[in-house]
Amino acid sequence: MEIVRSGGSSGLIEPRAPLVSSSAPSRRPGPGCSENSQLPHVHQRPLTVFLSLTMKQALHELMRMNRICRMVLVTCFGSFILVIFYFQSMFQPVMRRSPFVADVCCPKTSRNAFQELYNPTQAEMSSAAFLHQARRDQVAETCRTVGASSRKRRVLTPSDLKHLVVDEEHGLIYCYVPKVACTNWKRVMMVLTSHGKYAHPMDIPSNQAHVPSNLKTLNQYSIPEINHRLKTFLKFLFVREPFERLVSAYRNKFTLKYNRSFHKRFGTKIVRRYRRNATQEALQGGADVRFREFAEYLVDPATLREGPLNEHWETVYSLCHPCHIRYDVVGKYETLEEDSNYVLRLAGVADRLRFPTYAKSTRTTDQMAAQFFQNISGEQRARLYQLYRMDFLMFNYSTPSYLNAQ
């Protein structure tokens, strides 16, 4: 589309055409944009002299060209060079391309993960599909039971979706749950969405995996875009036995010296509320919170009135909203590697990307959780179970044997 001013000039000053008299000898265009160059008479001079004069004349005419003509020539020459490089790169062998291009790690397949789950093309996928169908049914049945007995109905808002990480390329939505291998799963999602920047999950430092800007979450989309992705993308999450996850969060956030931010933010508050005759050091540092005090803080009605719990000990039910969002794969911490690699197979990237193996020496086990629960009262145990009851029922975890122990 051109914009033309009526009655105005174009803003370009055109070179004035040379004046030609009727007696002037015949002229031919020179190498430039002007046509005022005159060739010498060939029959009057030797050939070498003629060529020398012709080259000098051409150089002279080039220097006499106006600025616009010179710019046009330079632009044409540069474009010609770019075209040469473009076609040269097009015909290079694939193996010589950079390992950091987008299609090296995890190219998009013709079938997305959602289609592969509900219409598997591989036998091993079909057998795994039965297990995950049973898990989906368990979640749905619990939601129906709770919904029938509760009058409270609510609609999710974008702010409820900040834990759902989106992979546009492979059609995945992952709801991360802290203390359920979420660091390694965030690393995997960064590999999948980095367009070749990262080749292996463990190349990514753990602190980088938790930088919000490194991953895109569902709450960053418009409502129509959110609904479209919830309908067409494969949605998955990973869960863990609730009390093991709770003890793991306590061990990580309150018994390690480097977590000073948690000590200041939560530890000092817990000590001030629930410890009699607390020392000044404990009140100011909050670095020695006992599990009994932590449990009392969680079940205190005052804590619940303050707002949602911290994500490290908030329930999966509240973080991922499984009664509002129908998750296609419910992975479990107890079968972490098998379930994780199953998701990667569904996404069509399992031949190039594996879920990182986990150091089992530091894992919080059922036996360790039982030891921590021995130090709290039966009333606290019962109230903690009520707090995490939906997670126990929804994800088919049995009531711990130590829960009612006196």
Side-chain angles (χ1 to χ4, degrees):
M1 176 178 179
E2 294 181 348
I3 301 177
V4 181
R5 293 181 181 178
S6 59
S9 66
S10 64
L12 296 180
I13 301 176
E14 297 182 357
R16 182 175 298 175
L19 299 177
V20 182
S21 65
S22 59
S23 61
S26 61
R27 303 172 185 266
R28 297 176 57 190
C33 293
S34 303
E35 296 186 0
N36 60 348
S37 58
Q38 179 180 357
L39 293 178
H41 297 286
V42 178
H43 64 276
Q44 295 179 354
R45 306 177 183 211
L47 180 61
T48 55
V49 175
F50 166 72
L51 292 177
S52 175
L53 290 174
T54 301
M55 294 179 63
K56 290 180 179 179
Q57 185 72 14
L59 182 60
H60 178 69
E61 291 297 327
L62 182 63
M63 296 299 296
R64 292 181 57 189
M65 289 168 54
N66 60 54
R67 181 184 177 189
I68 295 177
C69 290
R70 289 199 299 269
M71 290 176 62
V72 170
L73 282 180
V74 171
T75 302
C76 292
F77 181 73
S79 301
F80 178 71
I81 296 297
L82 290 176
V83 169
I84 292 176
F85 278 109
Y86 172 77
F87 281 102
Q88 183 181 12
S89 64
M90 287 291 292
F91 291 100
Q92 284 183 344
V94 175
M95 293 302 293
R96 294 180 59 189
R97 291 187 180 183
S98 169
F100 296 102
V101 295
D103 60 351
V104 169
C105 168
C106 311
K108 186 176 181 179
T109 59
S110 58
R111 286 166 55 86
N112 64 25
F114 188 84
Q115 294 169 326
E116 188 63 36
L117 173 66
Y118 293 105
N119 188 18
T121 57
Q122 305 174 45
E124 65 271 19
M125 305 282 265
S126 300
S127 59
F130 287 107
L131 169 64
H132 291 279
Q133 180 63 57
R135 292 178 180 175
R136 288 195 298 273
D137 292 343
Q138 176 71 26
V139 173
E141 179 61 30
T142 305
C143 291
R144 280 193 294 269
T145 302
V146 173
S149 61
S150 176
R151 296 181 180 179
K152 294 182 180 180
R153 303 288 295 273
R154 65 182 295 260
V155 177
L156 295 181
T157 63
S159 62
D160 294 315
L161 307 176
K162 60 185 179 181
H163 273 247
L164 277 71
V165 177
V166 180
D167 173 11
E168 292 280 351
E169 184 71 14
H170 303 92
L172 300 175
I173 296 178
Y174 161 59
C175 183
Y176 69 89
V177 179
K179 308 314 300 175
V180 192
C182 83
T183 300
N184 280 349
W185 254 114
K186 284 184 176 181
R187 285 167 163 158
V188 170
M189 294 297 284
M190 286 180 66
V191 172
L192 290 173
T193 59
S194 68
H195 302 288
K197 180 180 179 180
Y198 301 108
H200 191 275
M202 299 312 290
D203 293 340
I204 304 171
S206 59
N207 64 318
Q208 286 297 311
H210 298 293
V211 175
S213 60
N214 285 338
L215 290 168
K216 191 168 186 178
T217 51
L218 195 59
N219 64 320
Q220 299 176 34
Y221 293 84
S222 68
I223 291 179
E225 290 172 334
I226 289 172
N227 289 328
H228 172 71
R229 282 154 182 78
L230 287 175
K231 290 178 180 178
T232 59
F233 284 20
L234 181 116
K235 303 165 290 296
F236 69 99
L237 77 165
F238 277 78
V239 300
R240 184 178 186 178
E241 202 277 344
F243 285 169
E244 287 184 23
R245 175 173 170 251
L246 179 62
V247 171
S248 176
Y250 166 77
R251 292 178 62 207
N252 180 257
K253 301 305 177 185
F254 294 107
T255 67
L256 300 178
K257 293 183 179 180
Y258 66 82
N259 273 323
R260 294 182 179 178
S261 62
F262 273 82
H263 301 163
K264 284 286 187 180
R265 183 179 176 186
F266 297 102
T268 54
K269 180 190 299 184
I270 292 173
V271 170
R272 184 171 60 253
R273 285 186 184 179
Y274 310 110
R275 185 180 302 181
R276 296 179 180 178
N277 302 320
T279 64
Q280 282 300 117
E281 181 181 1
L283 289 170
Q284 294 176 4
D288 62 341
V289 172
R290 299 156 189 166
F291 186 73
R292 174 184 56 78
E293 297 167 336
F294 178 54
E296 192 170 355
Y297 164 76
L298 292 175
V299 299
D300 190 339
T303 302
L304 302 180
R305 287 194 297 268
E306 291 172 354
L309 297 175
N310 180 268
E311 63 178 10
H312 291 84
W313 45 83
E314 179 63 280
T315 64
V316 179
Y317 174 74
S318 298
L319 290 176
C320 297
H321 314 285
C323 287
H324 293 79
I325 299 172
R326 187 176 187 272
Y327 287 92
D328 305 294
V329 174
V330 177
K332 291 200 170 186
Y333 190 77
E334 295 76 16
T335 53
L336 175 62
E337 292 180 22
E338 298 94 320
D339 293 344
S340 296
N341 289 317
Y342 174 64
V343 172
L344 297 179
R345 288 201 304 274
L346 290 172
V349 299
D351 56 338
R352 296 171 293 277
L353 179 63
R354 301 287 292 176
F355 190 80
T357 55
Y358 202 80
K360 297 182 179 181
S361 59
T362 59
R363 285 185 177 181
T364 299
T365 63
D366 180 69
Q367 291 78 13
M368 294 174 65
Q371 292 176 0
F372 279 92
F373 270 74
Q374 288 178 356
N375 299 322
I376 66 176
S377 66
E379 181 184 358
Q380 284 181 322
R381 295 175 197 172
R383 293 170 70 182
L384 281 174
Y385 179 79
Q386 287 301 315
L387 180 62
Y388 293 95
R389 178 173 174 270
M390 284 296 292
D391 286 2
F392 275 104
L393 299 177
M394 188 169 292
F395 306 118
N396 201 27
Y397 286 108
S398 58
T399 305
S401 58
Y402 55 79
L403 188 63
N404 297 320
Q406 297 299 324

